[in-house]
Amino acid sequence: MDVAIVEKRAIQDISVTKDRLDTVGLEYEKITAMEMLTMKGYPSYKYYYNSIQFSFLDFEKYILGMSPENSLFVNTITGMMLDQLQPTFSNEDVTLQPIQGEKATVTASMRFYAGIYGILNLEASTLRDKDNFATLFKVGSSLGKAPSDRTALSQLGVSEKSKTRLSFWALDNALASQTLVDVAAQKNFFIQNAEVLNPLMQKMAVLQLQNLLTQGQMEAKLTEAKTALTAKLNELNKDGKIVSAEMVKANPNLSIEKQVELMTQLNEQVISISVAVLTKQQGAQEAAQELAAQTAQLAEVLPLLALDFNALNEAMKTAGEALSKQQGLEVLAQLGDVSSQLVDGGGLEVSYGIIMKNLEFLNKLTLMTNPEYNR
């Protein structure tokens, strides 16, 4: 079997010494590519004179017959703004799209120019709003009361009842920015309900630890805790805020029950591997690295897991310190520190914050072309 080696190039320059670059990054090449794809014709008088103003999105729509939902450019920019862009690779023999288990590096400069090119470069005067591709990325803002017919979100820590609340929302036909709002809204739902769900998640995690240490003697209580958590999640999901019926129908693994089951399995892996690391078992470090990569990817896709990881770390810290006072369990004093290396407890708020800052930036660009959307 032939094996091909694929080089993963660095985005930014990597300097080894003062006068030598070990690696020249591709950041500026990617930024230039985005500019070229959004240019409406080359900067030459003869093209403007003959009304030839054609961007890559025009090419996708009118030549390839692609809708914005399937646009390579729109999906790339959306992935960058969500910080969830997955890399691809292709040659004459194979196409890997996306490359499983990998995440593309997106810098602040790339997001900055993606917004500028997506709105300012693509802005056009059209007969139909949908033909102005800049609209796909536009975001409106409201001070105080937001439009009631769409989801409006604010930065972390801003009360939804505040009369001076600055909120952001997607314009009509703004497919890309609506995706950002939808993803952020789901994350915000869990952030707002963390006070209710955290105690239930922590209780289940502590029982899982006790069940491991007692070799299954806490199984009955663990089942009760799992049932209580599932019931509360189903109660919160009555309006489909966590997962809609349509999504479950399309993918049954997204049901509340399946997500709780996945959560339980991941908790068990994190706890058992954390204990293995502390007791210096063979192969524990390698298993820990693999699990850390897996949990990071899942937390991006399923906000429920991101919230659980925060509760898990808190539970392991508290339970580990308490159990370490018992003879023979002193090593568990560092259990919380090890588990926090396997799962990121702050990922949910960080991810939400990144998306909201991107929405805020897109709003500033939108107001340059449509100041009337600052309400």
Side-chain angles (χ1 to χ4, degrees), residues 4 15 20 72 136 173 185 239 242 268 291 310 317 356 363:
S15 178
R20 178 175 176 269
L72 177 62
L136 293 166
N173 301 316
D239 296 325
I242 299 177
E268 290 176 353
L291 182 60
N310 182 54
K317 178 178 176 60
M356 288 308 303
N363 171 248

Side-chain angles (χ1 to χ4, degrees), residues 56 141 175 258 317:
F56 180 70
S141 59
L175 174 70
K258 290 290 186 180
K317 178 178 176 60

Side-chain angles (χ1 to χ4, degrees), residues 233-298:
L233 287 170
N234 277 318
E235 178 185 334
L236 294 173
N237 192 47
K238 60 183 179 181
D239 296 325
K241 292 291 184 67
I242 299 177
V243 58
S244 65
E246 292 77 13
M247 293 175 65
V248 174
K249 185 177 180 180
N251 185 356
N253 288 325
L254 292 177
S255 68
I256 296 296
E257 289 73 18
K258 290 290 186 180
Q259 289 195 48
V260 172
E261 188 62 38
L262 177 60
M263 180 196 308
T264 305
Q265 295 173 5
L266 289 173
N267 282 2
E268 290 176 353
Q269 291 182 52
V270 171
I271 294 170
S272 61
I273 291 177
S274 297
V275 172
V277 170
L278 288 172
T279 54
K280 299 181 175 8
Q281 296 181 24
Q282 186 177 4
Q285 290 292 347
E286 291 78 7
Q289 293 176 4
E290 293 179 6
L291 182 60
Q294 180 186 6
T295 56
Q297 294 171 19
L298 289 171

Side-chain angles (χ1 to χ4, degrees), residues 79-149:
M80 292 171 61
M81 293 295 178
L82 289 173
D83 196 28
Q84 295 179 5
L85 186 63
Q86 291 183 289
T88 62
F89 169 79
S90 64
N91 60 16
E92 63 276 8
D93 299 317
V94 66
T95 297
L96 302 176
Q97 184 177 358
I99 299 176
Q100 295 298 327
E102 292 293 332
K103 182 178 178 181
T105 301
V106 179
T107 66
S109 295
M110 290 169 62
R111 283 193 291 267
F112 177 79
Y113 283 104
I116 290 177
Y117 298 149
I119 292 181
L120 301 186
N121 271 21
L122 290 175
E123 177 65 18
S125 177
T126 59
L127 296 178
R128 296 190 308 170
D129 188 52
K130 289 184 178 181
D131 292 333
N132 180 9
F133 298 116
T135 302
L136 293 166
F137 306 98
K138 290 183 178 180
V139 176
S141 59
S142 299
L143 187 63
K145 188 176 181 180
S148 58
D149 65 336

